[in-house]
Amino acid sequence: MPQIPEKVHELTVGQLAARSGAAVSALHFYESKGLIRSRRTTGNQRRYSRDALRRVAFVRAAQRVGIPLATIREALSELPEERTPTREDWARLSEAWRSELDERIKQLNRLRDHLTDCIGCGCLSLDACVLSNPDDVFGDRLTGSRLLVAQSGGRRKNGRREPERRETTDKRC
């Protein structure tokens, strides 16, 4: 890993990429999304402050565990201007993200467990498809590729409102 002398307070995009392990295109993307910032030289070249290294490391670690970039940007915006995330910041944010990650893990486990049930054609022709239509409440009563919930009215069955169903001529499956 290339060492940058302590007296150098700004990094080129190439230096930041080499030190952070992120591609130059990723750094440009992070900048366009407001995750890191640069200044422009008189020759219109980007220069990043050294704290961008820690911000990039923070972004990449959060991405690795599945946190969306918008959520990461929101977290970074809570920090005082130009301050890099600290260990305490990471602990606070990771605790806040825990429930979101737990829910995602639950969904992935359900998908893995039901993967063999999927016929793979995407038409929802099974009674209930846990991959394309998780927690399908209509699949218990109706089948078909296109179910519409009644906006108003709707059929009544046993005193309960039933969703209207549009018949389809799609016979791919």
Side-chain angles (χ1 to χ4, degrees):
M1 182 177 310
Q3 294 296 315
I4 299 169
E6 283 293 319
K7 64 183 179 182
V8 175
H9 297 287
E10 291 186 317
L11 308 173
T12 66
V13 70
Q15 290 171 320
L16 183 58
R19 287 290 306 279
S20 68
V24 169
S25 59
L27 296 173
H28 291 169
F29 181 73
Y30 291 164
E31 188 174 354
S32 74
K33 296 300 181 185
L35 299 166
I36 59 174
R37 293 197 338 216
S38 69
R39 74 168 186 85
R40 298 292 182 135
T41 66
T42 54
N44 203 31
Q45 296 174 331
R46 289 178 168 92
R47 292 294 185 263
Y48 297 90
S49 61
R50 289 179 74 93
D51 71 312
L53 278 169
R54 182 168 283 161
R55 282 183 167 255
V56 171
F58 180 89
V59 169
R60 295 186 76 202
Q63 280 186 297
R64 230 175 272 122
V65 296
I67 304 301
L69 285 178
T71 305
I72 298 168
R73 182 180 56 244
E74 185 179 301
L76 287 171
S77 72
E78 294 175 7
L79 299 175
E81 192 67 28
E82 297 302 316
R83 186 168 76 74
T84 59
T86 63
R87 185 179 303 256
E88 292 78 23
D89 293 327
W90 180 257
R92 180 177 44 83
L93 292 168
S94 64
E95 182 62 33
W97 294 336
R98 181 177 288 280
S99 63
E100 181 181 332
L101 291 173
D102 287 342
E103 181 59 31
R104 214 173 287 147
I105 289 168
K106 183 177 141 187
Q107 289 173 349
L108 287 171
N109 283 331
R110 182 176 51 212
L111 291 174
R112 180 202 60 214
D113 294 344
H114 294 284
L115 188 59
T116 57
D117 298 340
C118 179
I119 59 174
C121 69
C123 76
L124 298 177
S125 60
L126 296 174
D127 288 344
C129 179
V130 297
L131 298 179
S132 298
N133 195 7
D135 302 321
D136 179 18
V137 296
F138 300 121
D140 293 336
R141 295 176 287 200
L142 299 170
T143 61
S145 60
R146 294 183 181 100
L147 296 176
L148 299 176
V149 177
Q151 295 290 330
S152 62
R155 297 179 298 178
R156 295 233 174 236
K157 182 177 179 182
N158 299 333
R160 294 187 336 199
R161 172 182 274 162
E162 294 287 323
E164 292 182 353
R165 180 177 179 206
R166 181 188 330 169
E167 295 300 324
T168 168
T169 58
D170 187 0
K171 302 292 184 191
R172 287 180 287 176
C173 297

